[in-house]
Each structure stands twice: as structure tokens, then as C-alpha cells.
């Protein structure tokens, strides 16, 4: 119950007859889709759209079931070669319908009376936003043949490089204290209570990258070159413009947020310098001390069972349906808890709306940080719960709003704990939250700067591992300033963050800052409105898959293009910095 997740809701094993049956049916559905698209005439558009949608819905559910099963298997065990073969087969099947998919999108784009057509059918009416997106994106579509070739080449291009990087980081061995451990396990020691262990783990981590840095550098170069090429071919100003359109987010919103973040950087540096002073450092905080625990807690180590009870108890005060879902996640084995060789690092949540479930991977170490990580990922699961009754093609939310419920969950847990703590225990909790906010504001800003620079420079040159380390160090110095010791940073942060290695999803960094600040604004409204806020909150999460970022925020009365909203959210953090400095300066 408190160990590995169960995938039996998908299939009982890779030899399950149901799996073979579903693979065959997916092939049949794709063939039917191709045939239906090629038969489009435009003479009965409502009926034709309905036919295509019905096939797309069924194939979407089936491909997500199959693809999700093999993806989760490989996340928990990178040596799952049988699963890798099936994944490749599914990818090839889905890529094989790209030409017809583009043909259909162009067909939709040419329908002049699309609104009236959609209103004439109950199912199509629910897909109004879906079809309007198709119509608006038409200007960036390539020819049918080019889209087909691009999708097929991506399987051995960007996607393959991303798979290689995941394989390398999951499988690399780390030499530590005379033994061997995994990268995810060694990174899990960053918040150890033992200062010598934090430093030793940091040094061991940096040393291990020498084994894989060159291969990962080739992967990053190849992926970003592909991204640059795609943006140019599709007529975007740059990959960031392409990402913003994919995110359904205005550039004005991103600029307002980044400007407010830059204004707040001096306060974060003040916090880091103060922490450095408390720990006895004069040149700023060493990287390996960013997550160093401060203060004292009554219980600094939790079992998974204790985490279960803790989270259910604390979420019950906010929303009973959230607490019930959390309890279900633990009891029904949605969670894969502990680090092990071959398992990917970090944490993620995979929403499975077609099953009305989610699956969560974490590398649980027993720290309070592990508790907040679980809370974060369970927030994603709660988000999934709000969208599970949407139709199958309406269940995808974009990067920025993806982190809303997860960060909101963290606020519930940490703020509740702070309110009930005293003395050294309160300092521990406040500083833990400041650590988290420093990660999603300052560190995320450095990662944004890094990726932006890599994408820009990759247009003209190949960036070797040494170049990438230099770019990362410069980005960290710009973001953290004199808050960190410039001689003890993390030059290989580009190796261990999987977000850089998704060819179809660039700049997967600023959404974390967005989610952290947006959720703080929502939390403030919850504190003002109480239970009356909950229906609004659920409606907002439900709308994330069928509306723009700005319109979603509007449900809660928020204008994201105004810097003041972001400044007010950041002020809740800077106030805590002042409190932390005051409490630890007595």
C-alpha cells in the first residue's frame, strides 16, 4: 500500500489479452479515422464533424490508456525494454495519422459558418473552444505532407533524444561514501539534516554528470535545434511565441509576471544572505545549502503512512472532496513512493480522466519537503478530478494553469502548519516555504534565462557541455545575485531537469512561477471569502481545459495582464522573508 503504484486498472501485465485487443482496436480506429477524413466533402459538415469526433474520442481514450500504461512502467523502471517497444509502436501509430489530422484541421478552418454548425449538435457544441483553436491555429499549419514527415521524423529526433536523456539520468550510478546510488536518491539528500551529508551529496552529484554530460548536451542541442526549425517553419517569431500560443496565454501576461519577479529579486537575495549568515557563510549561500533545514521540528521524518494521515487531516479543513480523493490515492495505490535504481528522479502526476484516477510518482525521503511534494502532486490529481467529466478531447490544460491546484495544495499544508507552530518549529515551516518559493521564483527565473539563451544561440552554433555549464552559471548569477556564493553554484542543472527535453513543449519553467503566484492570489481570495470561494475554485479548474489563461483567471475576478496582481502575490512572500529575518535575528 505504501510502496509502488498499481497499474492493474490499465492492464494486469504486459501479456494481458486485453492489451493485445486494445492495440488491435487502436489500429482499426486509426484506419477508420484516415478513411473518414479522406471521405470529407463538406456537403454535410455537421454529420461529418460528428463522425470524426466520435472516432477521435474513442481513439484518444484508447491511446491514452495504452500510452499511459507504458509511460508509467518506464518511469518506474527505465530498463523496461518490453514496454519501450510497445511505446514506440503506439507512437508510430499515432504519428501515422498526422497527414489526415492536418487535412481535417484545414477542413475545419475553411468552414465559414462553424459556429452555427457546432450549435446544431449537442456533442459538437461542447467542443466549441476545441474547434475554435483549430481554426485560429490554421495559419501555422504546414502542408499535409510536411506535417506528416515532421511527426514521423520527430520520433527519431526530438522524442528519441528526450527518451535517451531520461534513460541516462535514471540509470547513471553515483559514487557516494564508498558505495553506489542513483541520481534521484543523491538529489534527495539536498534537504538532509546533516550539513556534511548535504555537501557530500552535492559533490557526488556534480561528479556523476561527467559520465553523461556529453550525451545529454547532444540531446539538448538536437531538441532545441528542432524547436527553432519548427517555430520558423510555422511562421512564429520565435519558440517563445509558439509556446505562448500553445499555452493560450498572452505575452502581456508573461511580461507582467516576469517584471514583478525581477522587482522582487533583491528581497529573495536578502533572505539568502541572511540564511548564509545564520549558517556561518560570508560569501553568500552555497548551492548545497539552499534546502538546508532551519529551526527545529517536532518530527522531521515521516513514514508514508504518516504522510497519508497528515494530508487527509489537513485537507479536510479546506474541502472534504479533496480529502476523500487524497485518501483514495493512498488506499488504492496511485502512488509510487521511494527512489530506486532505474526509476526517474523528481516527481510528477499523470491525470487519467478516462479512468477517473491519477498516478503519482515521487521519490519520498520522509522529510517535510516530501510531504509538500506529495501535496503538490495530489493537487494535480484534484485538478484532474475537476476535468474528468469533460468530453475526451476537452481534458488537456496548458502549462501555466497546470501548476494552479498543485501550488494551492502546498499553501494549504504549509500555511496551516505555520499557524499552529511556535518557536523553532515555526521557523522551520516558514523557512521551508521560503525555500519552495525561492525555487519557483528565483531558480525558475534562472532556468528561463538559461533556456532562452540556449535557444537563441543554438540557431548559429553547437553548444558543448562546457558552454551549457557556462550559460547555466551566468543565468544563476543573474537570478540569485549576491544571495549565493558564486563559486559554489550548480553548473549541471541543465542535466537533471527533464523539462528541457520535450521537443513539443519548450519553456516548461515559467509555468511554475505562474502557478505559484497565481495560486497565492487565489489563496488570498479563499481566506477572504471562505467556503463561498470553493465553487468558484472548482469552476476555475474545470475551465482550464476549455478557455484561455486570462479568461480562467477572470472567473475569480483577476486580471493577469496587470503587474499589480503579481506584485500583491509576491508581497505575501516578501512579508514572510521579513518575518523569518525578524524571528531569527533575536
Amino acid at each position: 500500500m505504501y510502496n509502488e503504484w498499481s497499474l492493474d486498472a490499465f492492464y494486469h501485465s504486459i501479456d494481458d489479452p486485453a492489451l493485445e485487443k486494445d492495440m488491435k482496436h487502436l489500429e482499426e480506429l486509426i484506419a477508420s479515422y484516415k478513411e473518414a477524413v479522406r471521405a470529407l466533402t463538406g456537403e454535410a459538415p455537421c454529420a461529418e464533424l460528428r463522425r470524426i469526433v466520435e472516432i477521435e474520442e474513442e481513439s484518444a481514450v484508447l491511446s491514452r490508456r495504452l500510452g499511459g500504461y507504458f509511460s508509467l512502467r518506464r518511469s518506474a523502471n527505465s530498463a523496461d525494454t518490453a514496454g519501450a517497444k510497445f511505446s514506440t509502436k503506439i507512437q508510430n501509430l499515432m504519428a501515422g495519422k498526422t497527414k489526415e489530422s492536418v487535412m481535417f484541421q484545414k477542413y475545419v478552418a475553411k468552414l465559414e459558418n462553424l459556429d452555427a454548425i457546432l450549435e446544431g449538435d449537442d456533442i459538437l457544441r461542447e467542443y466549441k473552444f476545441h474547434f475554435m483553436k483549430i481554426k485560429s491555429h490554421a495559419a501555422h499549419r504546414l502542408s499535409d505532407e510536411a506535417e506528416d514527415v515532421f511527426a514521423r521524423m520527430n520520433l527519431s529526433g526530438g522524442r528519441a533524444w528526450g527518451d535517451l536523456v531520461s534513460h541516462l539520468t535514471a540509470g547513471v550510478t553515483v559514487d557516494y561514501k564508498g558505495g553506489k546510488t542513483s541520481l534521484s536518491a543523491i538529489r534527495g539528500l539536498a534537504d538532509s539534516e546533516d550539513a556534511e551529508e548535504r555537501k557530500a551529496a552535492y559533490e557526488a552529484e556534480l561528479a556523476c554528470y561527467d559520465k553523461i554530460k556529453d550525451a545529454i548536451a547532444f540531446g539538448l542541442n538536437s531538441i532545441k535545434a528542432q524547436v527553432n526549425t519548427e517555430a520558423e517553419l510555422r511562421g512564429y517569431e520565435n519558440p517563445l511565441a509558439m509556446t505562448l500560443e500553445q499555452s493560450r496565454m498572452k505575452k502581456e501576461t508573461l511580461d507582467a509576471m516576469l517584471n514583478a519577479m525581477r522587482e522582487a529579486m533583491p528581497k529573495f537575495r536578502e533572505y539568502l544572505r541572511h540564511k548564509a549568515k545564520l549558517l556561518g557563510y560570508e560569501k553568500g549561500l552555497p548551492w548545497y545549502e539552499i534546502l538546508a533545514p532551519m529551526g527545529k521540528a517536532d518530527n522531521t521524518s515521516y513514514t508514508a503512512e504518516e504522510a497519508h494521515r497528515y494530508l487527509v487531516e489537513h485537507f479536510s479543513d479546506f474541502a472534504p472532496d479533496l480529502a476523500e480523493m487524497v485518501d483514495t490515492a493512498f488506499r488504492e495505490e496511485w502512488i509510487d513512493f521511494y527512489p530506486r535504481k532505474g526509476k526517474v528522479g523528481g516527481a510528477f502526476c499523470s491525470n487519467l480522466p478516462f479512468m477517473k484516477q491519477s498516478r503519482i510518482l515521487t521519490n519520498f525521503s520522509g522529510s517535510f519537503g516530501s510531504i509538500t511534494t506529495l501535496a503538490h502532486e495530489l493537487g494535480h490529481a484534484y485538478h484532474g478530478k475537476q476535468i474528468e467529466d469533460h468530453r475526451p478531447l476537452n481534458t488537456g490544460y496548458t502549462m501555466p494553469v497546470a501548476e494552479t491546484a498543485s501550488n494551492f495544495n502546498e499553501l494549504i499544508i504549509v500555511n496551516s502548519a505555520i499557524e499552529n507552530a511556535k518557536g523553532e518549529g515555526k521557523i522551520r515551516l516558514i523557512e521551508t516555504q521560503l525555500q519552495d518559493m525561492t525555487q519557483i521564483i528565483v531558480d525558475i527565473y534562472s532556468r528561463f534565462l538559461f533556456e532562452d539563451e540556449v535557444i537563441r544561440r543554438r540557431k548559429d552554433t553547437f553548444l558543448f557541455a562546457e558552454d551549457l555549464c557556462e550559460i547555466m552559471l551566468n543565468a544563476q548569477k543573474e537570478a540569485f545575485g549576491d544571495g549565493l556564493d558564486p563559486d559554489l553554484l550548480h553548473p549541471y542543472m541543465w542535466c537533471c531537469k527533464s523539462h528541457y527535453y520535450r521537443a513539443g513543449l519548450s519553456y516548461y519553467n515559467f509555468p511554475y512561477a505562474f502557478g505559484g503566484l497565481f495560486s497565492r492570489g487565489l489563496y488570498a481570495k479563499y481566506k477572504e471569502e471562505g467556503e463561498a470561494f470553493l465553487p468558484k475554485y472548482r469552476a476555475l479548474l474545470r475551465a482550464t481545459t476549455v478557455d484561455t489563461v486570462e479568461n480562467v483567471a477572470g472567473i475569480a475576478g483577476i486580471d493577469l495582464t496587470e503587474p499589480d496582481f503579481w506584485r500583491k502575490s509576491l508581497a505575501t512572500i516578501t512579508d514572510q522573508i521579513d518575518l523569518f529575518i525578524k524571528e531569527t535575528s533575536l
Side-chain angles (χ1 to χ4, degrees), residues 16 68 94 143 180 227 230 232 525 559:
D16 191 332
M94 300 308 292
S143 69
K180 305 285 185 183
V227 167
E230 181 178 5
E232 180 181 353
K525 286 188 171 290
D559 184 353

Side-chain angles (χ1 to χ4, degrees), residues 310-315 368 371-372 374-376 407-420 429 433 523:
Y310 187 97
L311 291 171
V312 169
E313 177 185 346
H314 283 75
F315 286 134
F368 187 76
I371 297 285
T372 57
L374 275 171
H376 181 102
N407 283 292
F408 196 100
N409 264 20
E410 286 194 48
L411 285 169
I412 293 171
I413 293 300
V414 179
N415 286 357
S416 174
I418 289 172
E419 289 173 4
N420 293 293
L429 292 168
Q433 193 172 58
Y523 187 81

